[in-house]
Amino acid sequence: MSLLAKIAEIENEMARTQKNKATAHHLGLLKARLAKLRRELITPKGGGGGGPGEGFDVAKTGDARIGFVGFPSVGKSTLLSNLAGVYSEVAAYEFTTLTTVPGVIRYKGAKIQLLDLPGIIEGAKDGKGRGRQVIAVARTCNLILIVLDVLKPLGHKKLIEHELEGFGIRLNKKPPNIGFKKKDKGGINFTATCAQSELDAETVKSILSEYKIHNADITLRSDSTADDLIDVVEGNRVYIPCIYVLNKIDQISIEELDIIYKVPHCVPISAHHRWNFDDLLEKIWDYLHLVRIYTKPKGQLPDYTSPVVLPDGQTAVEDFCLKIHKNLIKEFKYALVWGSSVKHNPQKVGKDHVLEDEDVIQVVKK
């Protein structure tokens, strides 16, 4: 029996089963089985595999990378060529773009790489079309732009989200607050620090036994679902922010536009007429959470033209030094910092000091 048939069978059974407390245990088991089969689909077992296919993934350049995901012919390539001035082949038929087309824009001093990925079709997560490679590239992005046609947005949005979820990409979500630690012996130790509406010790045990884990510590620190637990156990999930870009707004009325503006994580644009690009770029910047640090050579004015851009969460002085050169940290004595992260300007700081956006730094060597 093929993997796809097995997956279809489990999905049918889940659709047939009523959801209530009595069946929660059974549904949790089915979900775990489904997740395991999905993983096998993405990374097939065994085999030396065929030779290398034609290049699909693109080398990572710049400070952040953004992937454009969408169905064929929603205007991804037009958007890319108008944003970055890169020529990605554009035509009015479906499946024009066949491999990844990279482009780079400079925005607020940061170099941002844009990837135009081929159109995703339904069933991509089951290996149809170029879907598997497309989504493998999407996993490496810092931000995903889902490009939708404004005339048929919701159906497409649900399908694309479903495909991405099937590949272990979680959009606009935080990792679930669950502690999971495997042990050698001692059985399953289950603690919940708050009331659980779905999981109990039995369900947790059965999901873990599906993964052949019989000794582990599980701590639930928030009200979690069976899916959250499976995500933690699988451990290969990526959490990526996402913006929905509604293209072709030149085809709708102003009243409809007002309604669209209220949807969260959403930016209406027209790629062809270049409408509302500044709004889109601003939103992209917000979601990327990049931090710009300006450098100041001794006795000169700060260089405001080319900042060093660090990702959010890795903004200590040490990270800054490593970004420039790995030997810099060996010769590091202290740094002088001007900006919002210090109490007085300039302030002498060590390598653990956390920098904030648009700080100016001068590194003093030994």
Side-chain angles (χ1 to χ4, degrees):
M1 196 173 175
S2 74
L3 279 177
L4 288 176
K6 282 182 191 165
I7 286 182
E9 195 180 352
I10 291 181
E11 280 182 337
N12 287 339
E13 191 176 342
M14 281 172 68
R16 280 201 308 269
T17 312
Q18 288 182 354
K19 279 187 186 163
N20 55 40
K21 274 191 182 148
T23 60
H25 179 87
H26 178 61
L27 277 172
L29 263 178
L30 290 177
K31 279 178 182 165
R33 253 174 232 164
L34 196 61
K36 272 173 73 176
L37 289 171
R38 283 267 161 76
R39 191 181 58 201
E40 273 177 43
L41 255 189
I42 305 172
T43 51
K45 278 189 186 147
E54 67 258 37
F56 197 81
D57 198 2
V58 179
K60 209 167 186 172
T61 60
D63 302 305
R65 120 189 278 195
I66 299 178
F68 290 27
V69 180
F71 277 94
S73 299
V74 289
K76 298 191 292 298
S77 302
T78 317
L79 179 58
L80 180 76
S81 55
N82 282 346
L83 268 178
V86 176
Y87 188 68
S88 171
E89 195 174 326
V90 180
Y93 53 85
E94 309 220 319
F95 297 110
T96 324
T97 313
L98 291 173
T99 62
T100 316
V101 181
V104 174
I105 53 172
R106 296 209 67 130
Y107 188 66
K108 295 194 179 178
K111 274 171 82 175
I112 298 173
Q113 183 183 33
L114 304 174
L115 298 181
D116 176 21
L117 302 172
I120 283 186
I121 49 172
E122 237 178 301
K125 65 177 186 304
D126 309 329
K128 283 189 197 146
R130 293 304 288 277
R132 195 181 280 170
Q133 292 109 313
V134 173
I135 298 189
V137 177
R139 278 179 73 105
T140 64
C141 295
N142 303 91
L143 170 68
I144 290 180
L145 294 188
I146 293 187
V147 188
L148 303 166
D149 193 332
V150 82
L151 300 172
K152 41 188 175 192
L154 287 173
H156 279 185
K157 174 173 176 269
K158 285 211 171 64
L159 283 171
I160 290 177
E161 281 175 348
H162 188 67
E163 297 295 323
L164 293 175
E165 293 260 314
F167 262 92
I169 295 178
R170 300 283 176 265
L171 302 174
N172 290 331
K173 275 189 193 165
K174 291 267 180 289
N177 196 351
I178 297 178
F180 170 65
K181 194 171 157 199
K182 283 191 198 174
K183 299 182 299 190
D184 294 338
K185 54 181 193 282
I188 291 207
N189 189 1
F190 170 79
T191 43
T193 54
C194 57
Q196 298 294 324
S197 57
E198 189 174 317
L199 292 175
D200 54 6
E202 276 303 297
T203 317
V204 170
K205 263 187 190 156
S206 64
I207 289 177
L208 289 177
S209 67
E210 185 61 39
Y211 283 100
K212 300 191 172 61
I213 297 173
H214 302 295
N215 303 301
D217 288 336
I218 293 277
T219 319
L220 304 178
R221 301 191 192 89
S222 59
D223 189 3
S224 316
T225 62
D227 292 326
D228 290 341
L229 179 63
I230 291 168
D231 281 355
V232 171
V233 176
E234 283 269 349
N236 60 355
R237 304 291 189 242
V238 283
Y239 296 86
I240 304 180
C242 159
I243 300 175
Y244 304 104
V245 180
L246 291 177
N247 190 11
K248 308 189 186 178
I249 55 170
D250 45 326
Q251 299 175 9
I252 60 168
S253 66
I254 299 224
E255 292 81 41
E256 288 172 300
L257 197 56
D258 277 347
I259 296 171
I260 287 169
Y261 247 110
K262 294 182 180 129
V263 182
H265 311 299
C266 194
V267 182
I269 60 153
S270 166
H272 186 65
H273 296 286
R274 303 184 183 218
W275 293 348
N276 209 9
F277 274 14
D278 40 1
D279 204 16
L280 176 63
L281 285 168
E282 197 49 52
K283 195 138 189 160
I284 286 175
W285 184 258
D286 282 352
Y287 277 60
L288 282 174
H289 296 300
L290 296 175
V291 173
R292 292 161 294 176
I293 310 293
Y294 300 113
T295 52
K296 178 186 179 307
K298 194 171 179 186
Q300 293 172 23
L301 287 171
D303 174 15
Y304 286 120
T305 50
S306 49
V308 175
V309 179
L310 301 171
D312 192 34
Q314 299 175 344
T315 57
V317 176
E318 189 171 2
D319 298 311
F320 166 82
C321 293
L322 288 173
K323 173 98 182 191
I324 292 175
H325 199 277
K326 57 180 182 291
N327 287 348
L328 186 57
I329 199 75
K330 292 175 189 161
E331 304 170 352
F332 180 85
K333 190 174 178 191
Y334 63 89
L336 294 170
V337 175
W338 292 255
S340 57
S341 68
V342 288
K343 290 203 174 71
H344 35 257
N345 294 329
Q347 186 171 326
K348 198 168 158 180
V349 298
K351 64 179 184 188
D352 297 331
H353 175 77
V354 176
L355 299 161
E356 287 177 13
D357 195 24
E358 303 212 65
D359 279 359
V360 175
I361 185 171
Q362 176 185 332
V363 174
V364 180
K365 295 186 191 171
K366 281 176 185 153

